[in-house]
Amino acid sequence: MDYTTNFIESALYEFRRYKTLGDKTFLQLSETDIHWTYNEADNSIALIVKHMVGNMLSRWTNFRTEDGEKSWRNRETEFKDPYPTKAKMQKAWEEGWACLFAALESINADNFDTPIRIRGEAHTTMEAVNRQLAHYANHVGQIVLMGKMIKGKDWISLSIPKGGSEAFNQQKFSH
């Protein structure tokens, strides 16, 4: 496997993993939960998703031929007027991820060295992908933490539950 293919497959795997964490968090949340905030200065899950989707559509639409900060994007509005329903939030979430995955899947050895511009700054494909991976991982982490805060003792762990490491390791390595 060549370097380009390996990098893109690895990035796709990680992006899918973070999307899944968001998906599994949303499954545990109600219509009301997505609008919860710890205090007035915080963003709700519905606003975090709105920001992520705005970023994804801007960064990944025509990402090799246009700057990642599109003229039609207004970042400030991403933090106002959250999605009114969970269904609308999830629909937009899917649209953002679909845009990202289509862009990533279009990368190959022939276009891997094409400079990617974000806010006028040139990035290598690897730099641009890693920048977005870190950005989305941060926000998905916020979404998961907020989900845990909202659900409290009713939260269903998305990884090895607290106190479950020994049982997990026994099962994993008993083969």
Side-chain angles (χ1 to χ4, degrees):
M1 180 181 303
D2 68 272
Y3 176 78
T4 300
T5 303
N6 181 264
F7 175 76
I8 296 305
E9 285 183 5
S10 175
L12 281 165
Y13 175 84
E14 292 301 324
F15 279 117
R16 286 184 182 116
R17 198 165 62 87
Y18 284 110
K19 179 186 182 299
T20 298
L21 288 172
D23 293 340
K24 288 182 176 181
T25 298
F26 302 153
L27 286 173
Q28 297 187 53
L29 301 176
S30 71
E31 199 75 37
T32 304
D33 292 339
I34 68 165
H35 295 103
W36 178 86
T37 60
Y38 181 71
N39 64 48
E40 291 176 12
D42 292 338
N43 294 316
S44 66
I45 288 172
L47 279 178
I48 294 169
V49 171
K50 187 175 180 185
H51 165 62
M52 288 181 69
V53 170
N55 180 278
M56 287 175 176
L57 295 176
S58 183
R59 294 292 184 266
W60 299 102
T61 299
N62 303 321
F63 79 105
R64 286 193 315 265
T65 58
E66 298 176 2
D67 191 283
E69 190 64 20
K70 304 294 188 280
S71 60
W72 46 259
R73 181 182 185 209
N74 183 343
R75 184 181 179 278
E76 293 307 312
T77 62
E78 295 166 11
F79 299 99
K80 298 175 185 169
D81 302 319
Y83 296 112
T85 66
K86 186 176 168 183
K88 286 185 180 184
M89 179 189 79
Q90 288 178 290
K91 183 177 188 275
W93 171 262
E94 293 298 331
E95 181 184 352
W97 285 106
C99 182
L100 177 152
F101 292 135
L104 274 180
E105 289 165 357
S106 75
I107 298 172
N108 57 48
D110 294 333
N111 60 27
F112 189 78
D113 292 328
T114 303
I116 308 298
R117 300 197 85 65
I118 302 173
R119 294 190 175 125
E121 182 182 335
H123 294 70
T124 65
T125 296
M126 187 180 301
E127 290 168 339
V129 169
N130 284 336
R131 174 180 172 152
Q132 297 314 117
L133 182 60
H135 183 200
Y136 304 148
N138 175 56
H139 287 311
V140 170
Q142 292 172 327
I143 291 167
V144 172
L145 178 60
M146 290 177 71
K148 289 175 74 171
M149 292 169 64
I150 293 164
K151 297 306 288 182
K153 64 178 178 47
D154 295 327
W155 174 255
I156 299 166
S157 178
L158 304 181
S159 62
I160 302 168
K162 192 185 285 189
S165 296
E166 188 175 325
F168 176 84
N169 286 340
Q170 277 185 330
Q171 181 184 21
K172 177 94 173 155
F173 299 112
S174 66
H175 299 76

